[in-house]
Amino acid sequence: VQHIEDQNIESLRPQSTDELGVLATGYRNLFEIWRADNEILKINTRILRDSGSALSLSDAIDDIMKVCDEVIGGDMVFLILRNRTGDGLIGVAQTDGPYKPEGYYQLSLDEPSIAGWIFTQGKAASISDVTGDERVSIRMRKEYGAQSLLGVPLKYGDEVIGVLLSLSKTEREYNHNDQKLLDGIAREVAIAVQTYQLYQDRVEAELARKDNEELLQLLMSATEEGIYGVDQDGLCIFINPAGLKLLGYDSDDELLGKSIHEMVHHTFPDGAPYPKEQCQVWLSTRKGESGHSDAEVHWRKDGTSFPTEYWSHPIYKEGKIVGTVVTFIDITDRIATMEKLKYQAQVIEQIKNSIVATDLDGIVTSWNKGAENLFGYTEEFMLGRHISYVYPEEELAALENVITTLKTQG
């Protein structure tokens, strides 16, 4: 085979029309097909080996364009692809220039062009004389001097992704072998392009995923609320720094992959065991129900607990529940404040004397039973009103002086 390949193909050209000449013509055609197939196989092997970088795609397409020139002949070869960011087609490679992803030109599918026809019809086109053929654009005739054209669609599976086009400036009758060779080359172009585009899509998706993950990590790190997530089995899949701090853990490794209920939510405030089946977080995962509670506790690593308010929401992926995300806060200070206010309210209610409180603008903020008995107005009626409402008119000036003094001197 190597011996045949190294021979000058001109030696196989027929010297006469007799039987030997016909035989030589047959051998020459077979040799051309074999040589083209061999070149295509070499290119395909390198595409499969090196796919995954812009350089490999560019080199592969440059080689493919050279093969087209060698085995098809003609004056120019064009590689035209579907524009992935818009409508129409974009010319990315041609004989007199390297692969150019941004394109040498763009074609609208609404305007007449042989590339557009091949792309939309998904069929090959062989034109020996473009004169009078309405499928061929004026630009192709005048700018490139097209006289004959052979073009085939680039197909990946059932999808047409572009067009491979060979142009001749003189009249030429393309035969079956010419189209077969161009079809074979087109298949390898489609493989190279689609492999690279799939690779690019994966890279872009991975970069977007990393950007989203980094943004999520920044948001989770910036919040003061504890946030953790569990999978369908209740195992911890993430927890933010605030959550670790509230629960007394130094690293998320201490919780990841473990049952969050057994670690932090296993016991009621009164010390009774908290069955997992009654847990709002568990119900969110199993039944898809959002939960809320401000009457439970979370347990720290050191065995102490703190009153907590938490919200649980199921996580869906493609319509299915895959876990639950929980936001929680420590409400120790809130409970202490509420207890203090409750105590003060009880004390005020027990005092028979009139006790009235206002803000610095004289607006009533507290009005006990003694005040109700003295002035005859209910607490509901007086809250938010100015204290002057119950002052005698002759004492209003003195009241204003008192309010002014409090504002200025505190």
Side-chain angles (χ1 to χ4, degrees), residues 137-228:
S137 66
I138 296 176
R139 176 186 179 186
M140 184 63 73
R141 295 191 185 104
K142 291 187 175 180
E143 186 173 336
Y144 297 106
Q147 187 63 41
S148 302
L149 291 168
L150 176 63
V152 295
L154 300 181
K155 290 185 177 181
Y156 191 82
D158 295 329
E159 182 182 13
V160 179
I161 64 171
V163 173
L164 187 61
L165 193 66
S166 177
L167 172 153
S168 180
K169 295 181 180 180
T170 58
E171 283 194 29
R172 175 179 174 180
E173 290 287 343
Y174 294 100
N175 58 38
H176 175 71
N177 286 338
D178 292 330
Q179 183 175 328
K180 180 180 178 182
L181 288 171
L182 199 61
D183 275 330
I185 296 170
R187 284 195 298 271
E188 305 312 318
V189 176
I191 291 172
V193 170
Q194 197 70 6
T195 299
Y196 175 70
Q197 289 179 345
L198 289 173
Y199 169 80
Q200 282 294 93
D201 290 343
R202 288 197 301 269
V203 169
E204 292 173 4
E206 180 65 17
L207 291 174
R209 184 184 66 80
K210 288 182 177 179
D211 287 344
N212 289 336
E213 286 182 353
E214 290 177 1
L215 178 59
L216 179 60
Q217 287 296 328
L218 289 173
L219 292 173
M220 289 180 62
S221 298
T223 182
E224 294 182 1
E225 294 83 4
I227 304 174
Y228 65 81

XYZ file of all heavy atoms in Angstrom, residues 137-228:
737
model
N -25.953 32.899 -5.264
C -26.023 34.349 -5.035
C -25.141 35.116 -6.009
O -24.171 34.573 -6.571
C -25.592 34.672 -3.601
O -24.222 34.374 -3.420
N -25.495 36.381 -6.217
C -24.685 37.259 -7.076
C -23.283 37.407 -6.499
O -22.287 37.446 -7.222
C -25.370 38.637 -7.209
C -26.716 38.475 -7.926
C -24.471 39.615 -7.956
C -27.511 39.760 -8.018
N -23.187 37.470 -5.164
C -21.889 37.606 -4.502
C -20.980 36.433 -4.832
O -19.791 36.608 -5.110
C -22.092 37.695 -2.992
C -20.795 37.748 -2.197
C -21.068 37.688 -0.713
N -19.857 37.713 0.065
C -19.802 37.557 1.379
N -20.926 37.364 2.059
N -18.654 37.589 2.013
N -21.536 35.209 -4.832
C -20.741 34.020 -5.128
C -20.212 34.064 -6.562
O -19.086 33.651 -6.832
C -21.584 32.762 -4.898
C -20.825 31.456 -5.073
S -19.475 31.234 -3.894
C -20.402 30.899 -2.384
N -21.028 34.622 -7.459
C -20.601 34.699 -8.856
C -19.552 35.785 -9.061
O -18.502 35.556 -9.675
C -21.803 34.994 -9.764
C -22.857 33.896 -9.809
C -23.837 34.176 -10.934
N -24.943 33.224 -10.964
C -26.169 33.484 -10.546
N -26.452 34.691 -10.062
N -27.106 32.572 -10.612
N -19.832 36.999 -8.542
C -18.972 38.146 -8.840
C -17.730 38.197 -7.957
O -16.614 38.427 -8.453
C -19.777 39.435 -8.681
C -20.851 39.602 -9.746
C -21.514 40.970 -9.644
C -22.510 41.172 -10.787
N -23.170 42.511 -10.714
N -17.906 38.022 -6.635
C -16.773 38.171 -5.719
C -15.813 36.995 -5.804
O -14.594 37.162 -5.726
C -17.270 38.330 -4.284
C -16.170 38.640 -3.277
C -16.721 38.963 -1.907
O -17.895 39.389 -1.797
O -15.971 38.787 -0.913
N -16.373 35.789 -5.955
C -15.503 34.598 -5.984
C -15.372 33.983 -7.381
O -14.616 33.032 -7.563
C -16.047 33.543 -5.015
C -16.031 34.010 -3.586
C -17.216 34.365 -2.938
C -14.842 34.115 -2.868
C -17.215 34.806 -1.617
C -14.824 34.552 -1.555
C -16.016 34.897 -0.935
O -16.010 35.337 0.365
N -16.093 34.499 -8.344
C -15.974 34.028 -9.721
C -16.458 32.615 -9.925
O -15.915 31.867 -10.761
N -17.465 32.195 -9.181
C -17.950 30.814 -9.248
C -18.543 30.511 -10.615
O -19.369 31.268 -11.144
C -18.982 30.579 -8.152
N -18.119 29.374 -11.169
C -18.702 28.878 -12.403
C -19.351 27.504 -12.182
O -20.392 27.196 -12.749
C -17.634 28.763 -13.506
C -18.180 28.415 -14.879
C -19.117 29.491 -15.416
O -18.868 30.686 -15.265
N -20.226 29.073 -16.038
N -18.705 26.720 -11.299
C -19.238 25.408 -10.920
C -19.149 25.263 -9.403
O -18.226 25.786 -8.767
C -18.447 24.278 -11.595
O -18.472 24.415 -12.995
N -20.119 24.505 -8.824
C -20.164 24.346 -7.370
C -20.556 22.927 -7.005
O -21.389 22.297 -7.661
C -21.196 25.308 -6.751
C -20.892 26.804 -6.788
C -22.137 27.596 -6.397
C -19.750 27.131 -5.837
N -19.940 22.433 -5.925
C -20.340 21.163 -5.313
C -20.410 21.379 -3.807
O -19.426 21.790 -3.185
C -19.329 20.059 -5.633
C -19.595 18.702 -4.949
C -20.918 18.110 -5.421
C -18.437 17.731 -5.211
N -21.586 21.142 -3.254
C -21.750 21.362 -1.822
C -22.533 20.245 -1.162
O -23.414 19.640 -1.785
N -22.189 19.953 0.095
C -22.896 18.903 0.844
C -23.209 19.428 2.243
O -22.487 20.264 2.801
C -22.055 17.604 0.954
C -21.840 16.987 -0.416
C -20.727 17.874 1.646
N -24.289 18.944 2.851
C -24.615 19.372 4.209
C -23.727 18.664 5.241
O -23.322 17.513 5.038
C -26.082 18.946 4.379
C -26.236 17.784 3.455
C -25.332 18.046 2.286
N -23.418 19.370 6.314
C -22.736 18.761 7.460
C -23.819 18.228 8.380
O -24.629 18.992 8.906
C -21.888 19.784 8.216
C -20.763 20.488 7.465
C -20.036 21.427 8.407
C -19.800 19.492 6.879
N -23.829 16.922 8.577
C -24.860 16.321 9.411
C -24.238 15.637 10.617
O -23.262 14.900 10.491
C -25.684 15.309 8.611
C -26.578 15.937 7.555
C -27.454 14.882 6.893
C -28.417 15.507 5.886
N -29.301 14.498 5.247
N -24.860 15.895 11.773
C -24.485 15.169 12.990
C -25.748 14.481 13.467
O -26.645 15.110 14.005
C -23.953 16.133 14.054
C -23.306 15.434 15.219
C -21.984 15.004 15.143
C -24.016 15.181 16.378
C -21.381 14.352 16.200
C -23.424 14.529 17.442
C -22.107 14.117 17.355
O -21.519 13.466 18.405
N -25.822 13.174 13.203
C -27.080 12.476 13.413
C -28.072 12.924 12.358
O -27.770 12.942 11.162
N -29.232 13.340 12.776
C -30.241 13.847 11.843
C -30.218 15.362 11.736
O -31.010 15.949 11.006
C -31.642 13.404 12.296
C -31.810 11.894 12.239
O -31.168 11.264 11.372
O -32.570 11.348 13.065
N -29.304 16.004 12.445
C -29.276 17.465 12.498
C -28.260 18.028 11.513
O -27.115 17.567 11.448
C -28.926 17.919 13.918
C -28.926 19.422 14.095
C -28.531 19.836 15.502
O -28.020 18.968 16.263
O -28.725 21.018 15.840
N -28.690 19.022 10.730
C -27.775 19.720 9.819
C -27.137 20.875 10.582
O -27.835 21.743 11.121
C -28.518 20.252 8.574
C -27.551 20.996 7.664
C -29.187 19.114 7.824
N -25.805 20.878 10.649
C -25.117 21.918 11.429
C -24.299 22.860 10.551
O -23.712 23.819 11.057
C -24.212 21.293 12.503
C -23.081 20.481 11.855
C -25.012 20.445 13.461
C -22.031 20.008 12.849
N -24.263 22.592 9.227
C -23.499 23.482 8.359
C -23.422 22.954 6.941
O -24.146 22.035 6.544
N -22.484 23.539 6.173
C -22.334 23.204 4.749
C -20.847 23.202 4.395
O -20.087 24.056 4.865
C -23.063 24.230 3.861
C -22.776 23.978 2.377
C -24.571 24.200 4.134
N -20.427 22.233 3.585
C -19.077 22.198 3.017
C -19.216 22.399 1.516
O -19.947 21.654 0.850
C -18.398 20.869 3.346
C -16.919 20.756 2.957
C -16.086 21.805 3.682
C -16.388 19.357 3.269
N -18.508 23.392 0.981
C -18.736 23.827 -0.397
C -17.415 23.925 -1.143
O -16.452 24.511 -0.645
C -19.438 25.183 -0.378
C -20.052 25.715 -1.663
C -21.210 24.841 -2.105
C -20.544 27.142 -1.435
N -17.367 23.332 -2.365
C -16.198 23.445 -3.243
C -16.593 24.251 -4.482
O -17.643 24.004 -5.085
C -15.710 22.049 -3.651
O -14.633 22.151 -4.557
N -15.730 25.199 -4.874
C -16.032 26.129 -5.965
C -14.961 26.013 -7.044
O -13.772 25.928 -6.740
C -16.102 27.543 -5.406
C -16.227 28.740 -6.349
C -16.930 29.896 -5.624
C -14.856 29.237 -6.842
N -15.413 26.054 -8.270
C -14.487 26.083 -9.404
C -14.817 27.289 -10.278
O -15.989 27.600 -10.495
C -14.607 24.796 -10.223
O -13.718 24.831 -11.310
N -13.793 27.953 -10.757
C -13.992 29.142 -11.588
C -14.153 28.796 -13.061
O -14.310 29.702 -13.899
C -12.826 30.102 -11.394
C -12.742 30.656 -9.971
C -11.594 31.639 -9.813
C -11.539 32.179 -8.383
N -10.436 33.147 -8.185
N -14.086 27.526 -13.357
C -14.346 27.065 -14.731
C -15.444 26.012 -14.676
O -15.732 25.434 -13.631
C -13.079 26.450 -15.343
O -12.634 25.361 -14.522
C -11.970 27.491 -15.451
N -16.062 25.757 -15.824
C -17.121 24.752 -15.860
C -16.538 23.375 -15.564
O -15.473 23.012 -16.059
C -17.814 24.745 -17.229
C -18.771 25.893 -17.411
C -19.673 25.679 -18.616
O -19.947 24.488 -18.938
O -20.120 26.670 -19.211
N -17.270 22.623 -14.740
C -16.785 21.304 -14.352
C -17.967 20.378 -14.098
O -18.942 20.772 -13.471
C -15.925 21.408 -13.095
C -15.482 20.063 -12.540
C -14.621 20.216 -11.315
N -14.322 18.922 -10.709
C -13.586 18.754 -9.632
N -13.051 19.821 -9.026
N -13.373 17.541 -9.135
N -17.866 19.164 -14.595
C -18.881 18.152 -14.338
C -18.429 17.318 -13.141
O -17.456 16.570 -13.227
C -19.078 17.259 -15.559
C -19.733 17.940 -16.738
C -21.224 18.186 -16.508
O -21.795 17.546 -15.582
O -21.811 19.011 -17.246
N -19.112 17.478 -12.019
C -18.765 16.690 -10.827
C -19.392 15.310 -10.946
O -20.557 15.163 -11.337
C -19.296 17.369 -9.561
C -18.630 18.703 -9.279
C -19.267 19.898 -9.614
C -17.377 18.762 -8.674
C -18.676 21.116 -9.355
C -16.772 19.985 -8.422
C -17.425 21.161 -8.763
O -16.835 22.368 -8.506
N -18.600 14.281 -10.609
C -19.119 12.923 -10.703
C -19.511 12.381 -9.325
O -19.384 13.054 -8.308
C -18.100 11.998 -11.390
C -16.762 11.972 -10.647
O -16.718 12.003 -9.415
N -15.672 11.920 -11.414
N -19.963 11.133 -9.332
C -20.428 10.504 -8.091
C -19.305 10.406 -7.061
O -19.528 10.603 -5.853
C -20.977 9.114 -8.405
C -21.362 8.339 -7.183
N -22.475 8.655 -6.413
C -20.761 7.278 -6.566
C -22.546 7.816 -5.392
N -21.527 6.963 -5.464
N -18.094 10.099 -7.534
C -16.968 9.968 -6.606
C -16.646 11.288 -5.925
O -16.267 11.326 -4.744
C -15.735 9.437 -7.331
C -15.855 7.960 -7.645
O -16.625 7.243 -7.008
N -15.123 7.508 -8.659
N -16.758 12.392 -6.670
C -16.497 13.714 -6.090
C -17.435 13.970 -4.905
O -17.005 14.410 -3.825
C -16.682 14.810 -7.138
C -15.629 14.753 -8.225
O -14.504 14.318 -7.923
O -15.944 15.153 -9.369
N -18.711 13.687 -5.132
C -19.683 13.916 -4.059
C -19.451 12.954 -2.892
O -19.568 13.345 -1.725
C -21.110 13.756 -4.581
C -22.168 14.052 -3.499
C -23.584 14.012 -4.034
O -23.818 14.351 -5.194
N -24.516 13.607 -3.191
N -19.110 11.695 -3.205
C -18.855 10.726 -2.149
C -17.677 11.158 -1.289
O -17.722 11.070 -0.048
C -18.574 9.354 -2.768
C -18.287 8.280 -1.732
C -18.003 6.944 -2.393
C -17.660 5.898 -1.343
N -17.331 4.583 -1.971
N -16.630 11.661 -1.920
C -15.458 12.123 -1.174
C -15.815 13.325 -0.292
O -15.422 13.400 0.876
C -14.333 12.489 -2.139
C -13.645 11.319 -2.839
C -12.706 11.833 -3.913
C -12.889 10.464 -1.835
N -16.572 14.269 -0.875
C -16.933 15.457 -0.099
C -17.860 15.084 1.049
O -17.764 15.660 2.148
C -17.595 16.486 -1.023
C -17.596 17.934 -0.472
C -16.182 18.427 -0.252
C -18.341 18.866 -1.422
N -18.749 14.122 0.830
C -19.618 13.638 1.910
C -18.788 13.046 3.048
O -19.059 13.266 4.230
C -20.585 12.573 1.384
C -21.836 13.174 0.765
O -22.235 14.265 1.215
O -22.412 12.548 -0.146
N -17.768 12.259 2.686
C -16.916 11.646 3.705
C -16.168 12.679 4.517
O -16.061 12.577 5.741
N -15.653 13.702 3.818
C -14.952 14.776 4.516
C -15.921 15.540 5.413
O -15.606 15.899 6.547
C -14.282 15.722 3.501
C -13.206 14.975 2.717
C -13.677 16.927 4.215
C -12.650 15.748 1.542
N -17.135 15.771 4.900
C -18.139 16.516 5.668
C -18.478 15.809 6.979
O -18.708 16.451 8.008
C -19.398 16.720 4.837
N -18.519 14.468 6.934
C -18.805 13.723 8.169
C -17.752 13.998 9.230
O -18.068 14.162 10.416
C -18.885 12.222 7.862
C -20.159 11.782 7.188
C -20.320 10.267 7.252
N -19.235 9.580 6.547
C -19.264 9.281 5.259
N -20.317 9.616 4.525
N -18.265 8.633 4.701
N -16.491 14.035 8.807
C -15.422 14.279 9.783
C -15.439 15.716 10.287
O -15.143 15.978 11.457
C -14.058 13.959 9.151
C -13.966 12.563 8.576
C -14.475 11.500 9.532
O -14.180 11.587 10.744
O -15.181 10.585 9.077
N -15.784 16.646 9.392
C -15.925 18.037 9.829
C -17.018 18.140 10.888
O -16.851 18.793 11.924
C -16.262 18.969 8.648
C -16.494 20.395 9.154
C -15.134 18.966 7.631
N -18.161 17.476 10.638
C -19.272 17.522 11.590
C -18.856 16.944 12.938
O -19.191 17.486 13.994
C -20.474 16.758 11.031
N -18.115 15.841 12.913
C -17.645 15.240 14.160
C -16.732 16.204 14.908
O -16.868 16.407 16.122
C -16.905 13.916 13.877
C -17.900 12.860 13.385
C -16.176 13.422 15.124
C -17.229 11.578 12.907
N -15.792 16.801 14.181
C -14.841 17.721 14.814
C -15.561 18.920 15.427
O -15.319 19.294 16.574
C -13.809 18.193 13.792
N -16.462 19.529 14.643
C -17.172 20.722 15.109
C -18.064 20.401 16.297
O -18.061 21.092 17.321
C -17.999 21.337 13.963
C -18.924 22.430 14.497
C -17.076 21.905 12.897
N -18.854 19.314 16.162
C -19.789 18.985 17.234
C -19.061 18.563 18.499
O -19.471 18.911 19.610
C -20.735 17.870 16.771
C -21.984 17.725 17.623
C -22.943 18.894 17.463
O -22.735 19.772 16.619
N -23.967 18.932 18.287
N -17.957 17.838 18.354
C -17.165 17.431 19.528
C -16.647 18.660 20.264
O -16.721 18.755 21.486
C -15.990 16.545 19.095
O -16.487 15.370 18.465
C -15.140 16.150 20.298
N -16.128 19.604 19.490
C -15.594 20.812 20.118
C -16.705 21.644 20.749
O -16.549 22.153 21.861
C -14.851 21.656 19.087
C -14.372 22.971 19.642
C -13.346 23.023 20.566
C -14.982 24.170 19.271
C -12.909 24.225 21.088
C -14.562 25.372 19.788
C -13.521 25.396 20.695
O -13.106 26.590 21.230
N -17.839 21.763 20.052
C -18.928 22.564 20.606
C -19.486 21.948 21.881
O -19.819 22.653 22.832
C -20.027 22.742 19.560
C -19.611 23.674 18.428
C -20.686 23.846 17.370
O -21.651 23.072 17.299
N -20.540 24.857 16.524
N -19.574 20.604 21.912
C -20.008 19.934 23.132
C -19.013 20.173 24.258
O -19.391 20.393 25.411
C -20.175 18.429 22.883
C -21.366 18.029 22.007
C -21.310 16.532 21.704
C -22.686 18.383 22.693
N -17.737 20.140 23.902
C -16.695 20.417 24.900
C -16.824 21.839 25.428
O -16.765 22.083 26.638
C -15.317 20.206 24.266
C -14.172 20.711 25.110
C -13.679 19.961 26.179
C -13.579 21.946 24.839
C -12.631 20.430 26.952
C -12.529 22.416 25.605
C -12.064 21.655 26.658
O -11.029 22.130 27.423
N -17.029 22.793 24.503
C -17.183 24.188 24.911
C -18.408 24.373 25.803
O -18.367 25.106 26.790
C -17.306 25.090 23.683
C -15.989 25.374 22.998
C -15.069 26.197 23.873
O -14.247 25.670 24.608
N -15.207 27.506 23.829
N -19.502 23.683 25.446
C -20.714 23.776 26.263
C -20.449 23.263 27.672
O -20.913 23.846 28.657
C -21.859 22.986 25.623
C -22.372 23.641 24.353
O -22.086 24.830 24.148
O -23.048 22.952 23.569
N -19.711 22.150 27.763
C -19.389 21.605 29.084
C -18.522 22.561 29.871
O -18.721 22.755 31.077
C -18.691 20.249 28.939
C -19.592 19.120 28.497
C -18.954 17.772 28.772
N -17.677 17.622 28.081
C -17.543 17.111 26.875
N -18.627 16.710 26.216
N -16.359 16.987 26.307
N -17.540 23.168 29.194
C -16.655 24.120 29.875
C -17.448 25.313 30.377
O -17.293 25.743 31.528
C -15.529 24.583 28.923
C -14.769 25.755 29.528
C -14.574 23.433 28.637
N -18.307 25.861 29.503
C -19.102 27.023 29.899
C -20.057 26.687 31.032
O -20.250 27.477 31.966
C -19.879 27.561 28.692
C -18.985 28.184 27.631
C -19.736 28.560 26.375
O -20.979 28.390 26.370
O -19.102 29.010 25.400
N -20.670 25.495 30.964
C -21.579 25.076 32.027
C -20.832 24.894 33.340
O -21.325 25.262 34.411
C -22.282 23.770 31.638
N -19.620 24.347 33.250
C -18.822 24.140 34.462
C -18.405 25.477 35.067
O -18.438 25.662 36.286
C -17.585 23.305 34.128
C -16.671 23.011 35.303
C -17.308 22.136 36.362
O -18.334 21.489 36.075
O -16.778 22.110 37.494
N -18.014 26.421 34.197
C -17.648 27.752 34.695
C -18.842 28.442 35.337
O -18.716 29.074 36.390
C -17.093 28.607 33.554
C -15.724 28.193 33.002
C -15.367 29.039 31.783
C -14.637 28.322 34.071
N -20.010 28.313 34.689
C -21.221 28.916 35.252
C -21.568 28.273 36.589
O -21.966 28.953 37.541
C -22.388 28.768 34.275
N -21.410 26.936 36.656
C -21.691 26.236 37.917
C -20.749 26.696 39.019
O -21.164 26.946 40.149
C -21.548 24.727 37.709
C -21.913 23.902 38.935
C -21.652 22.434 38.696
N -20.244 22.160 38.543
C -19.387 22.049 39.562
N -19.813 22.200 40.802
N -18.114 21.799 39.342
N -19.466 26.848 38.665
C -18.499 27.299 39.667
C -18.803 28.722 40.111
O -18.693 29.051 41.293
C -17.082 27.207 39.105
C -16.575 25.775 38.976
C -15.140 25.741 38.460
C -14.621 24.310 38.401
N -13.231 24.258 37.888
N -19.185 29.583 39.143
C -19.541 30.963 39.497
C -20.738 30.974 40.441
O -20.764 31.729 41.422
C -19.861 31.769 38.235
C -18.606 32.099 37.434
O -17.505 31.985 37.997
O -18.740 32.452 36.256
N -21.740 30.138 40.123
C -22.925 30.079 40.982
C -22.584 29.531 42.358
O -23.108 30.002 43.374
C -23.999 29.208 40.322
C -24.614 29.874 39.102
O -24.592 31.095 38.980
N -25.158 29.086 38.206
N -21.700 28.531 42.389
C -21.303 27.964 43.672
C -20.548 28.989 44.506
O -20.754 29.096 45.717
C -20.439 26.723 43.458
C -21.223 25.495 42.998
C -20.335 24.277 42.856
O -19.095 24.431 42.985
O -20.878 23.189 42.626
N -19.651 29.747 43.850
C -18.892 30.768 44.570
C -19.824 31.858 45.100
O -19.674 32.324 46.232
C -17.831 31.381 43.653
C -16.688 30.422 43.324
C -15.696 31.020 42.363
O -15.890 32.198 41.953
O -14.720 30.335 42.008
N -20.809 32.262 44.274
C -21.761 33.267 44.710
C -22.587 32.748 45.884
O -22.808 33.463 46.867
C -22.688 33.649 43.548
C -23.797 34.670 43.866
C -23.198 35.975 44.372
C -24.659 34.912 42.641
N -23.009 31.483 45.774
C -23.786 30.890 46.868
C -22.965 30.822 48.145
O -23.468 31.117 49.235
C -24.254 29.481 46.460
C -25.061 28.710 47.514
C -26.334 29.481 47.865
C -25.411 27.321 47.017
N -21.687 30.446 48.013
C -20.820 30.379 49.184
C -20.646 31.752 49.806
O -20.639 31.899 51.043
C -19.457 29.806 48.797
C -19.467 28.318 48.504
C -19.840 27.486 49.715
O -19.554 27.848 50.852
N -20.497 26.365 49.484
N -20.500 32.786 48.972
C -20.362 34.149 49.496
C -21.623 34.574 50.240
O -21.558 35.164 51.324
C -20.070 35.123 48.348
C -18.682 35.028 47.712
C -18.607 35.932 46.494
C -17.597 35.408 48.718
N -22.782 34.271 49.653
C -24.046 34.631 50.293
C -24.231 33.885 51.613
O -24.646 34.466 52.623
C -25.210 34.332 49.353
C -25.305 35.205 48.098
C -26.410 34.687 47.185
C -25.572 36.654 48.469
N -23.909 32.596 51.603
C -24.072 31.796 52.807
C -23.090 32.221 53.890
O -23.393 32.158 55.084
C -23.890 30.311 52.477
C -25.027 29.725 51.665
S -24.791 27.984 51.287
C -24.759 27.269 52.925
N -21.890 32.652 53.474
C -20.896 33.086 54.451
C -21.239 34.453 55.026
O -20.840 34.773 56.149
C -19.504 33.130 53.797
O -19.116 31.844 53.364
N -21.970 35.265 54.249
C -22.264 36.628 54.688
C -23.449 36.698 55.641
O -23.566 37.645 56.416
C -22.530 37.512 53.470
N -24.334 35.711 55.608
C -25.526 35.773 56.440
C -25.237 35.359 57.867
O -24.353 34.542 58.134
C -26.641 34.873 55.857
O -27.800 34.986 56.658
C -26.205 33.417 55.841
N -25.982 35.935 58.823
C -25.825 35.594 60.226
C -26.719 34.427 60.612
O -26.540 33.839 61.692
C -26.154 36.814 61.104
C -25.176 37.968 60.926
C -25.494 39.136 61.846
O -26.460 39.019 62.630
O -24.788 40.146 61.789
N -27.670 34.081 59.783
C -28.535 32.944 60.062
C -27.821 31.641 59.724
O -27.037 31.574 58.781
C -29.832 33.017 59.247
C -30.757 34.170 59.606
C -30.377 35.458 58.924
O -29.435 35.444 58.101
O -30.999 36.491 59.211
N -28.086 30.617 60.518
C -27.557 29.304 60.196
C -28.342 28.691 59.053
O -29.571 28.801 59.009
N -27.655 28.065 58.116
C -28.309 27.419 56.980
C -27.658 26.047 56.770
O -26.434 25.950 56.701
C -28.166 28.243 55.688
C -28.710 29.665 55.878
C -28.887 27.558 54.524
C -28.466 30.566 54.681
N -28.480 25.024 56.695
C -27.947 23.705 56.346
C -28.925 22.992 55.423
O -30.106 23.335 55.345
C -27.645 22.856 57.590
C -28.836 22.464 58.431
C -29.652 21.383 58.091
C -29.135 23.160 59.611
C -30.720 21.012 58.877
C -30.212 22.796 60.413
C -30.999 21.728 60.037
O -32.072 21.364 60.810
